[in-house]
Amino acid sequence: MTNVSELQIERRKFKPVLPEVLSKGAFNIEIKKGKPTKSIADQSKIKAIFKNTYGLPEIVFAKGKNQAASKKAVRVGVVLSGGQAPGGHNVIAGLFDGLKQANKKNELVGFLGGPSGIVENKYKLITEELLSKYRNTGGFDLIKSGRTKIETDEQFLCAKNNCEKLDALIVVGGDDSNTNAALIAEFAKKENMDLCVVGVPKTIDGDLKNSRIETSFGFDTATKIYAELVGNICRDVNSAQKYWHFARLMGRSASHITLEVGFKTQPNIVLIGEEILAKKLTLAKIVDNIADIIVKRSKDGKNFGVVLVPEGLIEFIPEMKELISALNDTLADNSDALSKIHSVEEKKEFVFNKLSPKLSSLMKSLPAGIASQLMLDRDPHGNVQVSLIETEKLLIEMIHKKLSELKKQGKYAGKFSAITHFFGYEGRCGIPSNFDANYCYALGYNAAILALNGLTGYLSSVRNLTKPSKQWICGGIPLTMMMNVERRHGKDKPVIQKALVDLKGKPFKEFVKNRDKWALTESYIFPGPIQYFGPSEVTDMTTKTLKYERG
Ligand code: FBP
C-alpha cells in the first residue's frame, strides 16, 4: 500500500514552464533598474524607519549577460510564513533549481515551522531527493509554517546569529510576513550583515497585490476549490429547492475570494465587505437587504438560495469596525489584567466596563457566542482571528427575527430554512492548479535571481499573468514601496498596505452589472473540480478577477 495518490504520482511529473527571461539562468539575465521609489503613503515616517532600504529602484529582468550574479557558492535560507497557500512547495522548488543552475554547490536550507525556526535555528537542508516528493504538491509540510513575528530585540539578535552563515533569506508570506521581511532587510543593512532578504507574495486571500504584483500565489487554486464546493451547493439547492445556504469564505481582510467565487458560481447573494464599508451599512441594513431578496424569491415560490459571506465581513461594518478597533486597544492595554481572569464571562464584564457606553451596549446586543469570539486572542501581527467568528450564524439569527416580523405584518409568507458552511481550510493546501504550479515555480526561481544579485529588500515580482507563462515579466518590487502606517496592537506600525476590492475596478463593476439578475433567478454556474490534464481552456485558465483586471 503506498501513501501517495494516483494523482500525486502523475502530478509530480508536471514540469513548470519558466518565463523566457529566466529560462537561461542567472548569468543570462540583465538587471534593469528603474527610478528611486516612494512608499504609497506616510513617506516621511516610512523613510525614518527604513533608513537603509527606503527608496530602492524597481527591478526588471531582461535577456542579456550578467557579470554581477554571485559565482561563488552561496547558502540561502527559506521560510514559509503565515497561512498555507497552494504552491508553496513549488516556490521552494523554483528557488532550489534557480540556485543550483547557477552553481551546483549553492545550498538551500528551509527554516522549520515559520519564522520561529529562524529564531530557534531549526532548519533542514533541502536536497533534490527530499524535494522531488513535494514538487507540484499542495501544503507547506516540507518545512511547515507558523505565524511568529520577529519583533523583539532578543528575537532580532537570535535571527542575526542564526542568519550569520547565510547569504540570503527568502521569506514566503503575506502582507504581514513581508513587512517583517522588510524589517529584517533593514536590520541586516543597519548591522552591516551580508544578508540579502527577498520576499515572495503568498496568500490565498489575494490581498497582497498592486500594479506590479498582479496576484498572490494560492488565490487561483483556493478559489477554484471553493468554487467547486459552492457550485455543487448551488446545484443541490436548485434540485431540492428547500434551503438557503450561507457559505462564509476565507479572506480575513478583503473580499477578493468571495468576489471570485461569486463570478465562478453566480449565486443569489454575494456580500462584498468593501462595499458595505463604503456605503456605511449597519448590520441591520445588511440583514434588511438579504431579507428583501428572500421575500422576493419566496413570492415566486422560491424558498431557497445561496449567499456568500466574506470571512472579514464583520470588520467592514462600520459600527463593528469601531467596536473591534476599541477591543484591540482594550485587549492590548489590559493584557496583564485579562490574563489573570479565567472565565470568558468575567473577561467580557471587564471589557464592557472599559468600552464607551455606545460600544459596550453594541457588544451586549450581539449573540453571546459572537461577543466571546470577538474577545479571542489576536494573532502575533495584531489581527482579529476572523476565521473563528461565525458571522453567517449571526446573519441567520437576525434574518430569522426580521422575517418573523415581516410575517406578522403580512409581508412574508415563505419558509426560511438555513444551512451554514465555512470554506477556508479546505482550500489552502489543495494540489496547485497549473497556474499556481507555474507561477510559484517562477516566483521561487525569480527570488533566487534577486538573491544571487544581492538585491535585498525586494518582493519577487512575476507579472503579465494572463499570458502564457513564457511571456511573464520578472523582477523585483521594493518592499518599502508598498508600505504605509497602520494601527496594530494599539500602536502605529509600518505595514504593507492590503489591497482591498476596488469598488471602481472592473471586477466589482462587472459584478454589480449582474447581481440583480443572480438574486432573483437561478443563474448558477457549476465549475467542477480543478482540471490538471486536458484541454488548455480548462487546465490553464486564470482567475476571473485577473481576467477583468488585466483583460
Ligand atoms: P495569510 O494571510 O497568512 O496567507 O493567511 C490567510 C488566512 O488563510 C485567512 O484567510 C484566514 O483568516 C487565516 O489565514 C486563518 O489563520 P490560521 O491558519 O492561523 O487559522
Side-chain angles (χ1 to χ4, degrees), residues 81-85 147 174-175 177 202-205 207 250-252 257 311 385-387 425 428 498:
S81 180
Q84 287 73 257
R147 290 200 183 274
D175 50 335
S177 309
K202 168 237 71 169
T203 175
I204 59 160
D205 293 3
D207 55 6
M250 257 192 185
R252 59 180 157 173
I257 291 183
E311 181 186 57
Q385 298 187 56
V386 278
S387 56
Y425 299 97
R428 297 201 312 183
K498 279 186 199 295

mmCIF file of all heavy atoms in Angstrom, residues 81-85 147 174-175 177 202-205 207 250-252 257 311 385-387 425 428 498, ligand 1:
data_model
loop_
_atom_site.group_PDB
_atom_site.id
_atom_site.type_symbol
_atom_site.label_atom_id
_atom_site.label_comp_id
_atom_site.label_asym_id
_atom_site.label_seq_id
_atom_site.Cartn_x
_atom_site.Cartn_y
_atom_site.Cartn_z
ATOM 1 N N SER A 81 5.813 31.475 5.808
ATOM 2 C CA SER A 81 5.264 32.220 6.941
ATOM 3 C C SER A 81 3.762 32.456 6.786
ATOM 4 O O SER A 81 3.283 32.799 5.705
ATOM 5 C CB SER A 81 6.017 33.552 7.013
ATOM 6 O OG SER A 81 5.555 34.323 8.076
ATOM 7 N N GLY A 82 3.015 32.274 7.861
ATOM 8 C CA GLY A 82 1.573 32.558 7.849
ATOM 9 C C GLY A 82 0.755 31.382 7.363
ATOM 10 O O GLY A 82 1.196 30.228 7.432
ATOM 11 N N GLY A 83 -0.447 31.690 6.860
ATOM 12 C CA GLY A 83 -1.370 30.632 6.451
ATOM 13 C C GLY A 83 -0.879 29.904 5.207
ATOM 14 O O GLY A 83 -0.215 30.490 4.355
ATOM 15 N N GLN A 84 -1.229 28.633 5.111
ATOM 16 C CA GLN A 84 -0.817 27.844 3.943
ATOM 17 C C GLN A 84 -1.484 28.390 2.681
ATOM 18 O O GLN A 84 -2.565 28.962 2.739
ATOM 19 C CB GLN A 84 -1.231 26.381 4.117
ATOM 20 C CG GLN A 84 -0.409 25.611 5.110
ATOM 21 C CD GLN A 84 -0.701 26.000 6.540
ATOM 22 O OE1 GLN A 84 0.075 26.726 7.151
ATOM 23 N NE2 GLN A 84 -1.812 25.563 7.086
ATOM 24 N N ALA A 85 -0.827 28.174 1.553
ATOM 25 C CA ALA A 85 -1.401 28.550 0.259
ATOM 26 C C ALA A 85 -0.874 27.557 -0.773
ATOM 27 O O ALA A 85 0.326 27.234 -0.757
ATOM 28 C CB ALA A 85 -1.010 29.971 -0.123
ATOM 29 N N ARG A 147 3.122 31.561 12.466
ATOM 30 C CA ARG A 147 2.783 32.986 12.419
ATOM 31 C C ARG A 147 3.624 33.850 13.352
ATOM 32 O O ARG A 147 3.274 34.996 13.607
ATOM 33 C CB ARG A 147 1.309 33.191 12.766
ATOM 34 C CG ARG A 147 0.342 32.695 11.722
ATOM 35 C CD ARG A 147 -1.009 33.338 11.871
ATOM 36 N NE ARG A 147 -1.956 32.812 10.908
ATOM 37 C CZ ARG A 147 -2.092 33.271 9.667
ATOM 38 N NH1 ARG A 147 -1.358 34.267 9.251
ATOM 39 N NH2 ARG A 147 -2.966 32.730 8.840
ATOM 40 N N GLY A 174 2.515 36.647 3.417
ATOM 41 C CA GLY A 174 1.544 37.667 3.030
ATOM 42 C C GLY A 174 2.032 39.055 3.414
ATOM 43 O O GLY A 174 3.235 39.265 3.618
ATOM 44 N N ASP A 175 1.104 39.983 3.550
ATOM 45 C CA ASP A 175 1.498 41.371 3.818
ATOM 46 C C ASP A 175 2.247 41.503 5.139
ATOM 47 O O ASP A 175 3.279 42.183 5.208
ATOM 48 C CB ASP A 175 0.275 42.299 3.774
ATOM 49 C CG ASP A 175 -0.877 41.798 4.622
ATOM 50 O OD1 ASP A 175 -0.965 40.596 4.859
ATOM 51 O OD2 ASP A 175 -1.690 42.628 5.063
ATOM 52 N N SER A 177 3.920 39.136 6.867
ATOM 53 C CA SER A 177 5.217 38.442 6.845
ATOM 54 C C SER A 177 6.214 39.202 5.981
ATOM 55 O O SER A 177 7.411 39.262 6.294
ATOM 56 C CB SER A 177 5.063 37.032 6.290
ATOM 57 O OG SER A 177 4.027 36.377 6.964
ATOM 58 N N LYS A 202 2.638 35.538 -1.036
ATOM 59 C CA LYS A 202 1.775 34.378 -0.794
ATOM 60 C C LYS A 202 0.545 34.802 -0.027
ATOM 61 O O LYS A 202 0.663 35.599 0.905
ATOM 62 C CB LYS A 202 2.565 33.360 0.047
ATOM 63 C CG LYS A 202 1.774 32.241 0.625
ATOM 64 C CD LYS A 202 1.877 32.122 2.146
ATOM 65 C CE LYS A 202 1.159 33.218 2.881
ATOM 66 N NZ LYS A 202 1.012 33.020 4.321
ATOM 67 N N THR A 203 -0.605 34.383 -0.374
ATOM 68 C CA THR A 203 -1.805 34.363 0.456
ATOM 69 C C THR A 203 -3.004 34.023 -0.419
ATOM 70 O O THR A 203 -3.175 34.608 -1.492
ATOM 71 C CB THR A 203 -2.102 35.661 1.239
ATOM 72 O OG1 THR A 203 -3.356 35.503 1.906
ATOM 73 C CG2 THR A 203 -2.170 36.934 0.421
ATOM 74 N N ILE A 204 -3.782 33.074 0.057
ATOM 75 C CA ILE A 204 -4.994 32.734 -0.698
ATOM 76 C C ILE A 204 -5.937 33.920 -0.737
ATOM 77 O O ILE A 204 -6.777 34.025 -1.607
ATOM 78 C CB ILE A 204 -5.736 31.504 -0.111
ATOM 79 C CG1 ILE A 204 -6.145 31.759 1.347
ATOM 80 C CG2 ILE A 204 -4.917 30.247 -0.245
ATOM 81 C CD1 ILE A 204 -7.255 30.840 1.828
ATOM 82 N N ASP A 205 -5.804 34.837 0.241
ATOM 83 C CA ASP A 205 -6.745 35.960 0.355
ATOM 84 C C ASP A 205 -6.677 36.908 -0.843
ATOM 85 O O ASP A 205 -7.594 37.697 -1.058
ATOM 86 C CB ASP A 205 -6.467 36.765 1.629
ATOM 87 C CG ASP A 205 -6.779 35.979 2.890
ATOM 88 O OD1 ASP A 205 -7.156 34.805 2.774
ATOM 89 O OD2 ASP A 205 -6.649 36.546 3.987
ATOM 90 N N ASP A 207 -4.965 39.551 -1.220
ATOM 91 C CA ASP A 207 -4.910 40.976 -0.880
ATOM 92 C C ASP A 207 -3.499 41.548 -0.866
ATOM 93 O O ASP A 207 -3.291 42.686 -0.443
ATOM 94 C CB ASP A 207 -5.618 41.253 0.457
ATOM 95 C CG ASP A 207 -5.067 40.411 1.598
ATOM 96 O OD1 ASP A 207 -4.066 39.704 1.395
ATOM 97 O OD2 ASP A 207 -5.657 40.456 2.691
ATOM 98 N N MET A 250 -13.097 32.144 3.292
ATOM 99 C CA MET A 250 -11.900 32.778 3.864
ATOM 100 C C MET A 250 -11.529 34.049 3.132
ATOM 101 O O MET A 250 -11.933 34.272 1.989
ATOM 102 C CB MET A 250 -10.720 31.816 3.845
ATOM 103 C CG MET A 250 -10.454 31.231 5.198
ATOM 104 S SD MET A 250 -8.876 30.382 5.251
ATOM 105 C CE MET A 250 -8.973 29.722 6.917
ATOM 106 N N GLY A 251 -10.707 34.822 3.761
ATOM 107 C CA GLY A 251 -10.310 36.127 3.245
ATOM 108 C C GLY A 251 -10.587 37.096 4.375
ATOM 109 O O GLY A 251 -11.653 37.677 4.457
ATOM 110 N N ARG A 252 -9.610 37.212 5.289
ATOM 111 C CA ARG A 252 -9.954 37.892 6.539
ATOM 112 C C ARG A 252 -10.066 39.401 6.400
ATOM 113 O O ARG A 252 -10.767 40.040 7.168
ATOM 114 C CB ARG A 252 -8.957 37.532 7.630
ATOM 115 C CG ARG A 252 -7.544 37.890 7.277
ATOM 116 C CD ARG A 252 -6.622 37.516 8.362
ATOM 117 N NE ARG A 252 -5.290 37.352 7.802
ATOM 118 C CZ ARG A 252 -4.238 37.145 8.515
ATOM 119 N NH1 ARG A 252 -4.347 37.046 9.800
ATOM 120 N NH2 ARG A 252 -3.065 37.033 7.947
ATOM 121 N N ILE A 257 -11.720 36.735 -2.467
ATOM 122 C CA ILE A 257 -12.087 35.320 -2.649
ATOM 123 C C ILE A 257 -13.585 35.221 -2.915
ATOM 124 O O ILE A 257 -14.029 34.538 -3.846
ATOM 125 C CB ILE A 257 -11.696 34.483 -1.398
ATOM 126 C CG1 ILE A 257 -10.173 34.372 -1.283
ATOM 127 C CG2 ILE A 257 -12.350 33.099 -1.444
ATOM 128 C CD1 ILE A 257 -9.671 33.518 -0.122
ATOM 129 N N GLU A 311 -15.310 36.234 4.926
ATOM 130 C CA GLU A 311 -14.901 35.986 6.314
ATOM 131 C C GLU A 311 -14.704 37.287 7.099
ATOM 132 O O GLU A 311 -15.033 37.386 8.274
ATOM 133 C CB GLU A 311 -13.588 35.200 6.254
ATOM 134 C CG GLU A 311 -12.991 34.821 7.554
ATOM 135 C CD GLU A 311 -11.628 34.178 7.350
ATOM 136 O OE1 GLU A 311 -10.742 34.800 6.735
ATOM 137 O OE2 GLU A 311 -11.457 33.055 7.805
ATOM 138 N N GLN A 385 -8.839 37.138 14.796
ATOM 139 C CA GLN A 385 -8.895 35.843 14.092
ATOM 140 C C GLN A 385 -10.302 35.616 13.546
ATOM 141 O O GLN A 385 -11.095 34.871 14.118
ATOM 142 C CB GLN A 385 -8.479 34.735 15.043
ATOM 143 C CG GLN A 385 -7.050 34.920 15.527
ATOM 144 C CD GLN A 385 -6.578 33.735 16.335
ATOM 145 O OE1 GLN A 385 -6.598 32.600 15.885
ATOM 146 N NE2 GLN A 385 -6.166 34.004 17.555
ATOM 147 N N VAL A 386 -10.577 36.303 12.428
ATOM 148 C CA VAL A 386 -11.946 36.280 11.896
ATOM 149 C C VAL A 386 -12.406 34.891 11.466
ATOM 150 O O VAL A 386 -13.606 34.637 11.389
ATOM 151 C CB VAL A 386 -12.132 37.272 10.721
ATOM 152 C CG1 VAL A 386 -12.369 38.665 11.208
ATOM 153 C CG2 VAL A 386 -10.989 37.200 9.751
ATOM 154 N N SER A 387 -11.429 34.006 11.188
ATOM 155 C CA SER A 387 -11.855 32.670 10.755
ATOM 156 C C SER A 387 -12.624 31.970 11.884
ATOM 157 O O SER A 387 -13.347 31.014 11.638
ATOM 158 C CB SER A 387 -10.674 31.824 10.298
ATOM 159 O OG SER A 387 -9.718 31.744 11.313
ATOM 160 N N TYR A 425 -10.150 26.280 5.342
ATOM 161 C CA TYR A 425 -9.010 25.356 5.403
ATOM 162 C C TYR A 425 -9.072 24.321 4.264
ATOM 163 O O TYR A 425 -8.042 23.800 3.864
ATOM 164 C CB TYR A 425 -8.972 24.680 6.784
ATOM 165 C CG TYR A 425 -8.809 25.730 7.880
ATOM 166 C CD1 TYR A 425 -9.904 26.214 8.585
ATOM 167 C CD2 TYR A 425 -7.568 26.298 8.135
ATOM 168 C CE1 TYR A 425 -9.763 27.220 9.534
ATOM 169 C CE2 TYR A 425 -7.417 27.303 9.084
ATOM 170 C CZ TYR A 425 -8.518 27.759 9.774
ATOM 171 O OH TYR A 425 -8.372 28.764 10.698
ATOM 172 N N ARG A 428 -6.791 25.636 1.317
ATOM 173 C CA ARG A 428 -5.445 26.226 1.470
ATOM 174 C C ARG A 428 -4.295 25.287 1.117
ATOM 175 O O ARG A 428 -3.167 25.750 0.944
ATOM 176 C CB ARG A 428 -5.246 26.716 2.904
ATOM 177 C CG ARG A 428 -6.201 27.817 3.280
ATOM 178 C CD ARG A 428 -5.710 28.617 4.438
ATOM 179 N NE ARG A 428 -5.247 27.812 5.541
ATOM 180 C CZ ARG A 428 -4.814 28.304 6.686
ATOM 181 N NH1 ARG A 428 -4.789 29.605 6.864
ATOM 182 N NH2 ARG A 428 -4.405 27.523 7.663
ATOM 183 N N LYS A 498 -2.766 46.466 2.576
ATOM 184 C CA LYS A 498 -3.544 45.393 1.966
ATOM 185 C C LYS A 498 -4.300 45.934 0.763
ATOM 186 O O LYS A 498 -4.790 47.061 0.804
ATOM 187 C CB LYS A 498 -4.587 44.894 2.956
ATOM 188 C CG LYS A 498 -4.031 43.917 3.956
ATOM 189 C CD LYS A 498 -5.147 43.367 4.808
ATOM 190 C CE LYS A 498 -4.640 42.753 6.094
ATOM 191 N NZ LYS A 498 -3.806 41.588 5.908
HETATM 192 P P1 FBP B 1 -2.239 34.537 5.303
HETATM 193 O O1 FBP B 1 -2.679 35.950 5.145
HETATM 194 O O2 FBP B 1 -1.200 34.347 6.315
HETATM 195 O O3 FBP B 1 -1.878 33.935 3.994
HETATM 196 O O4 FBP B 1 -3.463 33.655 5.815
HETATM 197 C C1 FBP B 1 -4.733 33.892 5.364
HETATM 198 C C2 FBP B 1 -5.750 33.022 6.027
HETATM 199 O O5 FBP B 1 -5.965 31.828 5.309
HETATM 200 C C3 FBP B 1 -7.052 33.798 6.192
HETATM 201 O O6 FBP B 1 -7.861 33.662 5.067
HETATM 202 C C4 FBP B 1 -7.601 33.230 7.470
HETATM 203 O O7 FBP B 1 -8.403 34.150 8.149
HETATM 204 C C5 FBP B 1 -6.388 32.951 8.273
HETATM 205 O O8 FBP B 1 -5.370 32.668 7.356
HETATM 206 C C6 FBP B 1 -6.567 31.800 9.219
HETATM 207 O O9 FBP B 1 -5.446 31.699 10.013
HETATM 208 P P2 FBP B 1 -4.990 30.418 10.814
HETATM 209 O O10 FBP B 1 -4.381 29.487 9.839
HETATM 210 O O11 FBP B 1 -3.981 30.943 11.759
HETATM 211 O O12 FBP B 1 -6.210 29.841 11.441
#
